[in-house]
Amino acid sequence: MKFRLLGAVSAEDAEGGELRLGPEKRRSVLALLLLRRNRAVSVAQLTEALWVAEPPANARTVVQSHISRLRALLTEQGATGHGVQLATAGDAYTLQLPQGRLDVEQFDTLVAAARVEPHSVDVADALEHALALWRGPALTGTVASPPLEAWRHTLEENRLAAVEALAEHYQRLGDPARAAELLRAETVAHPLRESLVSALMLALFRAGRQCDALDWYHRTRESLADRLGVDPGRALNAAYERILRGEPVPETPAPVAAPAPVAVPAPAPLVMPAPPVAYVIPKPAGPPAIENLPAIDLLPRAPRGFHGRDAELATLADAVRGGPDGAIALITGPAGVGKTALALHWAHRNAGRFPDGLLFADLGGFSDRPDRDLDEVVAEFLAALGVAREDLPAGTTARSALYRRITTGRRLLVVVDNARDSAQVRPLLPAGADSVAVVTSRNRMLGLVAAELARPLPLAVLGPEESTALLARVLGPARIAAEPDAARELARLCDGLPLALRIAAAKITADPRRGLGAITAQLRHEQRRLGHLAAEEISVASALRISYEQLPPATARLFRALGFHPGPVIDAYTAAALGDLEPTAAAEALEQLAATHLVTETDGGRYTLHDLVWLYARDLSSRTHPAEQRLARERLADQYLYTGLAAVQIAEPGSKPCCEPPAGSHRPRAVAEFENADEAIHWLGAHRETLAHVIAGASPDRVWRLVLTQWPLILRRLRDGWVSQLEHALDATLECGDQDGESQVRAMLGWVLVSNRRLPEAVTCLGPAAELAARAGNQVGRSVALVNLAAVQAELGDNAAAGANLTQALEIALAIGHTHTVTLALQHLARHLLVTGRPAQAIERALYGLELMKDQIPSSRRVLLHTSCGEALSALGRHAEAHSRLQEGLAEAERIGHDEATAEVLSALAAAEDAAGQAQAASAHRRRAAELGSP
């Protein structure tokens, strides 16, 4: 086994597969044992690391439970035979670990080797290898307790020291640009670490980028003053003064000459399109060299390396076919998606269609520059069209009127790039039926669509194949063919965003010795990905920042709050919880975010964030006060909890609520409403992935409740990987000391274990459940626990114990008069009587259950009662009645769309048809059951 702490706490088996470690506290126990490997760690030390606040009264029991689970995991993996052992000595535990099994140890060894010979050319390899061991922030997935936070800080300091040492070595090798790139990504993540900033400044200076170096100084000085109220330290000031004086930075020549670069195919040059100002390009005297060359051409040059977008180009061509009032195409999309590149590529390909001229203006609506003055832009267009400066009228209105008169009857193409709103665009639209305008914007600009009949062309991110093809266009096919897996992963990490792909390609192009795998390894770290996707003044983060800064205050606040959302799906209810808003206000803000392409609307009022946008929102949210962060996460968890409870009541009408919200919970202003069971189950399934992330970061008193609200979905998907989450819920109940919660989680987990044929574990889990429910005063929970325990006893062949527990469960349910639980007990008792050779009694119990449920909607429980009754009738030779009863059960199973129940009824029908001598019908039923996955 091998263990990782430099990133998410994890363990690998002998084949390199990742093991399931369980919840946050178990990972924290393992982390502390690994950090203090081969030394004793007391229960008191573990307790201090597991709770941020005062530990609960049963803290020792919780610690011992996690130790027991870890020891079982090691035994299961056969680790003890390879020297890995978790030993107990009195009130302490020791994790005995051979050398070379922990990434922290490997990191320390490599860094120590680099220190021994700091001027050796092997230093870079050692440090690069050491830093490649990091897969994110150290100890991810552990409790934020003081002991673990201290370890986290120590490990991060060691990593940053290694980064600074590697950058220094790059400079010794005469490669300050590479040092600057390495340091810049870290400086973005640690903007107040002065040693990083000063090293970055000097590296930029040596790389010939003095202005950038000075900009970093001023930026850091302002941050130090605003956030800490201090001035720059000695090292930062010294670097600043040296750069101002132009003093050369001392170089230490590398002891060995750098190896000759390996010859690689020359990639296509990487050029970012769209200059800020439109210029008239004079035409040479005499006839044009190209047929149909426009008389006026203000277009910037065509984007290099453009690839794909065939469908979008076809849509754009269709949008500008013309009409009685001319044609307007509106290209919209998120920052960096390639709107300008698409517009310019199409414009250059179709320039011959517009002999009277090609006009272009970048309005600067989404840039760090001020918006272009419309008066000035119209003047430039008029000048290009032959109007002398002295003949220009004053004011935008008069100039626009002249522009419309001059463009009437002409065949012009006007490209208006980077527009903020419709009002900016209207004065620049040409008149006449033969002209075309192509507008690009991050906003939907619905006013332009409604009033000017603009044809919208939303531009989405590239798919995996298109992304890889773009990389191949820039880097050359040979580079992609050499590392196809890295190319695919790089495309995924860049989220299909052309800007991100081009920046990554630029970094690879700048250093031919660097493969795709190197930049891919950098981008794997979520917290530093945006920092790496930057090339000089161009970056994904700055493109997103401009969109964010133009949002209204309330919408900007919600966007920051979306960074706390862990999953891919957002709706008005979850957004309202995160932003502490009314759902109507949240819906309006989401619509504004969708209009600027910071979120993408999918269906049914749901929205998604692209990965890079979510990382930017998460970076913004991380700067908020910790108390605000905690409240936002609590509100989100409670939103899912209250909605889950509402979904359960619709999915399983008549059932007893599995829990009450914990004390101090935040009642949502509103929750989603469900019209029927299908809608409720669909909601639980659609939000399962998101809910798993919410559960992982929730407080223990919310964890087990959130898990239990999924029980209707769990019952319909018993073999769908629920064990780990239910074990996490069980740990949470132990930590809270909640006996009722523990009983319910044990009952559900035991049932799932039975369904997954893990019978010994199910017995251990279910054993205490009924007694715990009785102590908590939950008679419904006690009855359910007995039913589930009976199921595993029956599977193990102890029919007597199973029958006794089912009879007791029915008596308890009848005594409290809870019909839902009575029918559950009757369903299982009918099956038990049938299996033990008492079909007449089985029919009696099944019919009683169906009578109690006659006014209820079809459900899996009714299907199972019909099935048991039909099988019992068949056993008694009453074949016609059996066939009728089973057909009724089949119709209900198909109506509710429950494949597993449908397959079970079909199997029973096949057996009944066999008994009745209907072999052909039996065969047909078996085929259908097999298609559905017959149990």
Side-chain angles (χ1 to χ4, degrees):
M1 289 183 70
K2 292 184 178 180
F3 301 89
R4 293 184 179 276
L5 299 179
L6 303 179
V9 174
S10 62
E12 296 178 355
D13 59 23
E15 285 75 37
E18 187 167 336
L19 302 176
R20 292 184 177 180
L21 295 180
E24 181 184 64
K25 284 189 168 53
R26 191 172 309 146
R27 292 174 184 270
S28 302
V29 169
L30 177 61
L32 194 59
L33 291 171
L34 287 168
L35 289 165
R36 297 180 58 83
R37 56 199 175 279
N38 303 319
R39 289 179 289 173
V41 183
S42 68
V43 171
Q45 290 172 313
L46 288 167
T47 300
E48 185 184 6
L50 291 193
W51 283 274
V52 177
E54 189 71 20
N58 65 334
R60 176 181 289 272
T61 303
V62 175
V63 170
Q64 291 171 342
S65 173
H66 289 308
I67 290 288
S68 176
R69 295 278 180 86
L70 288 172
R71 187 176 281 130
L73 180 67
L74 295 176
T75 302
E76 180 184 322
Q77 295 298 318
T80 53
H82 296 84
V84 182
Q85 188 170 355
L86 182 50
T88 305
D91 199 37
Y93 303 97
T94 303
L95 182 58
Q96 297 169 0
L97 192 68
Q99 286 189 342
R101 301 294 184 90
L102 181 63
D103 58 355
V104 172
E105 186 179 61
Q106 297 170 33
F107 175 83
D108 292 341
T109 300
L110 289 165
V111 172
R115 288 198 197 101
V116 172
E117 296 185 61
H119 299 297
S120 167
V121 290
D122 295 331
V123 167
D125 289 338
L127 291 174
E128 286 172 352
H129 187 186
L131 291 170
L133 294 170
W134 286 73
R135 298 189 173 187
L139 307 182
T140 295
T142 61
V143 178
S145 60
L148 289 173
E149 284 297 299
W151 274 106
R152 207 183 323 268
H153 178 74
T154 298
L155 293 170
E156 180 65 5
E157 283 294 316
N158 292 343
R159 187 188 69 82
L160 291 173
V163 168
E164 291 171 352
L166 179 58
E168 182 181 350
H169 191 73
Y170 284 157
Q171 296 200 63
R172 288 198 191 102
L173 294 173
D175 196 350
R178 191 172 183 185
E181 180 187 335
L182 174 67
L183 291 166
R184 187 188 185 283
E186 297 300 337
T187 306
V188 169
H190 303 274
L192 300 183
R193 186 181 175 92
E194 294 188 47
S195 59
L196 273 176
V197 180
S198 59
L200 173 61
M201 288 168 57
L202 294 172
L204 289 169
F205 176 56
R206 287 189 58 194
R209 296 167 59 186
Q210 178 175 331
C211 291
D212 290 338
L214 295 176
D215 179 63
W216 271 104
Y217 173 81
H218 292 299
R219 188 187 310 180
T220 306
R221 178 176 57 79
E222 292 171 4
S223 294
L224 288 168
D226 292 343
R227 297 169 66 175
L228 302 179
V230 298
D231 294 325
R234 182 180 302 172
L236 202 58
N237 281 327
Y240 177 63
E241 291 168 4
R242 176 178 289 172
I243 293 168
L244 285 179
R245 291 195 297 266
E247 294 180 2
V249 181
E251 288 192 36
T252 305
V256 181
V262 179
V264 295
L270 182 67
V271 176
M272 298 298 171
V277 182
Y279 294 96
V280 177
I281 304 174
K283 302 296 175 190
I290 303 175
E291 188 178 359
N292 294 328
L293 184 69
I296 304 163
D297 185 354
L298 305 186
L299 290 180
R301 63 182 173 183
R304 297 186 181 180
F306 186 90
H307 181 79
R309 298 293 194 190
D310 294 336
E312 290 85 350
L313 287 168
T315 303
L316 179 56
D318 183 62
V320 297
R321 290 193 189 282
D325 301 309
I328 306 168
L330 173 61
I331 304 174
T332 62
V337 80
K339 301 179 292 294
T340 302
L342 178 71
L344 289 177
H345 181 76
W346 184 88
H348 279 278
R349 282 178 53 178
N350 293 273
R353 291 176 48 191
F354 305 100
D356 293 323
L358 309 171
L359 304 179
F360 174 89
D362 178 359
L363 300 186
F366 294 91
S367 70
D368 285 321
R369 307 183 308 276
D371 286 4
R372 293 288 309 281
D373 183 270
L374 279 178
D375 198 24
E376 176 190 340
V377 176
V378 179
E380 284 184 3
F381 280 11
L382 288 170
L385 292 167
V387 179
R389 277 283 174 185
E390 58 271 20
D391 295 332
L392 289 174
T396 305
T397 302
R399 290 180 177 182
S400 296
L402 177 59
Y403 172 68
R404 286 194 297 274
R405 287 198 303 274
I406 290 178
T407 56
T408 299
R410 297 202 186 194
R411 297 173 64 187
L412 294 165
L413 170 63
V414 179
V415 179
V416 181
D417 188 36
N418 211 5
R420 186 196 306 276
D421 53 44
S422 303
Q424 282 185 307
V425 175
R426 287 191 179 98
L428 305 177
L429 297 175
D434 296 321
S435 290
V436 166
V438 178
V439 183
T440 75
S441 178
R442 296 185 195 178
N443 280 328
R444 289 177 179 170
M445 298 177 65
L446 298 180
L448 201 67
V449 176
E452 310 297 339
L453 304 181
R455 290 279 301 275
L457 172 55
L459 201 58
V461 297
L462 299 174
E465 292 184 4
E466 284 186 308
S467 298
T468 307
L470 176 59
L471 289 171
R473 185 68 180 264
V474 177
L475 297 172
R479 299 289 293 273
I480 305 302
E483 299 179 83
D485 292 339
R488 283 190 291 271
E489 185 178 5
L490 180 58
R492 179 182 63 79
L493 292 172
C494 288
D495 205 18
L497 194 68
L499 175 63
L501 290 163
R502 287 177 173 272
I503 290 171
K507 291 191 169 190
I508 298 168
T509 304
D511 185 357
R513 295 169 297 179
R514 177 185 296 190
L516 276 71
I519 187 68
T520 301
Q522 289 182 336
L523 296 181
R524 285 195 193 107
H525 305 307
E526 283 189 346
Q527 288 192 335
R528 298 195 290 276
R529 188 177 303 164
L530 287 176
H532 286 300
L533 288 174
E536 297 185 357
E537 76 282 358
I538 301 169
S539 73
V540 173
S542 64
L544 293 171
R545 173 180 55 79
I546 293 166
S547 291
Y548 162 71
E549 289 177 346
Q550 295 185 14
L551 296 172
T555 307
R557 179 171 171 268
L558 176 62
F559 180 72
R560 292 194 302 273
L562 295 183
F564 297 123
H565 197 275
V569 180
I570 299 163
D571 58 23
Y573 298 106
T574 52
L578 286 166
D580 197 17
L581 299 167
E582 292 291 341
T584 52
E588 290 174 5
L590 285 171
E591 178 61 25
Q592 289 177 324
L593 291 173
T596 55
H597 294 90
L598 286 170
V599 302
T600 302
E601 189 170 6
T602 55
D603 59 346
R606 298 193 299 170
Y607 298 82
T608 61
L609 279 80
H610 288 297
D611 287 348
L612 296 177
V613 178
W614 175 72
L615 288 175
Y616 182 70
R618 193 175 73 169
D619 179 61
L620 293 174
S621 67
S622 68
R623 303 175 195 175
T624 60
H625 193 278
E628 184 179 340
Q629 297 182 35
R630 177 180 56 79
L631 284 172
R633 291 192 172 97
E634 285 181 356
R635 289 195 302 267
L636 180 65
D638 291 338
Q639 179 74 45
Y640 277 105
L641 176 57
Y642 280 85
T643 308
L645 289 170
V648 169
Q649 291 306 301
I650 300 299
E652 296 289 341
S655 63
K656 179 179 180 293
C658 57
C659 63
E660 293 293 330
S665 63
H666 308 272
R667 178 177 288 277
R669 290 180 169 92
V671 297
E673 297 180 358
F674 309 103
E675 292 188 2
N676 51 52
D678 288 344
E679 280 191 11
I681 294 297
H682 176 75
W683 183 90
L684 289 169
H687 288 79
R688 180 181 173 183
E689 180 183 348
T690 300
L691 190 54
H693 290 296
V694 172
I695 289 167
S699 58
D701 59 345
R702 290 176 170 86
V703 164
W704 69 266
R705 291 174 165 88
L706 286 165
V707 174
L708 282 184
T709 58
Q710 300 173 92
W711 71 264
L713 183 66
I714 295 174
L715 289 180
R716 287 163 171 80
R717 304 181 186 176
L718 284 166
R719 300 178 182 87
D720 204 11
W722 296 99
V723 172
S724 177
Q725 196 174 97
L726 284 163
E727 287 179 340
H728 183 24
L730 182 57
D731 290 332
T733 63
L734 290 170
E735 186 170 337
C736 297
D738 192 306
Q739 292 184 333
D740 185 28
E742 182 183 351
S743 167
Q744 293 190 68
V745 174
R746 283 184 178 277
M748 181 57 64
L749 175 56
W751 184 252
V752 171
L753 290 169
V754 171
S755 301
N756 285 272
R757 316 303 302 162
R758 295 166 62 172
L759 301 181
E761 294 173 76
V763 171
T764 303
C765 178
L766 286 164
E771 178 59 28
L772 285 165
R775 274 189 253 154
N778 183 354
Q779 293 302 314
V780 169
R782 183 184 174 201
S783 179
V784 171
L786 287 168
V787 167
N788 291 358
L789 179 59
V792 70
Q793 288 168 335
E795 290 284 348
L796 293 170
D798 192 351
N799 287 322
N805 280 328
L806 287 171
T807 300
Q808 186 182 5
L810 180 58
E811 290 172 353
I812 294 169
L814 287 168
I816 59 176
H818 195 260
T819 303
H820 193 271
T821 311
V822 170
T823 56
L824 173 69
L826 287 169
Q827 169 207 321
H828 284 271
L829 190 55
R831 172 59 55 182
H832 170 75
L833 291 167
L834 177 62
V835 169
T836 55
R838 290 171 282 180
Q841 291 172 278
I843 293 170
E844 180 185 343
R845 299 297 190 279
L847 290 175
Y848 181 24
L850 287 168
E851 176 65 21
L852 291 174
M853 300 182 73
K854 65 181 180 181
D855 295 327
Q856 294 185 19
I857 61 174
S859 65
S860 57
R861 183 166 303 164
R862 281 167 53 112
V863 172
L864 293 172
L865 285 166
H866 280 302
T867 304
S868 295
C869 186
E871 289 180 283
L873 288 166
S874 178
L876 291 173
R878 295 157 62 177
H879 300 303
E881 293 175 78
H883 184 272
S884 175
R885 179 65 61 180
L886 290 170
Q887 285 290 353
E888 195 171 347
L890 178 61
E892 289 205 11
E894 291 174 335
R895 204 175 312 158
I896 63 176
H898 195 322
D899 287 350
E900 190 170 334
T902 303
E904 191 164 334
V905 183
L906 285 167
S907 297
L909 257 173
E913 299 287 13
D914 277 335
Q918 302 293 325
Q920 187 173 356
S923 179
H925 292 319
R926 285 197 177 88
R927 279 197 302 272
R928 280 195 62 198
E931 291 170 1
L932 293 170
S934 177

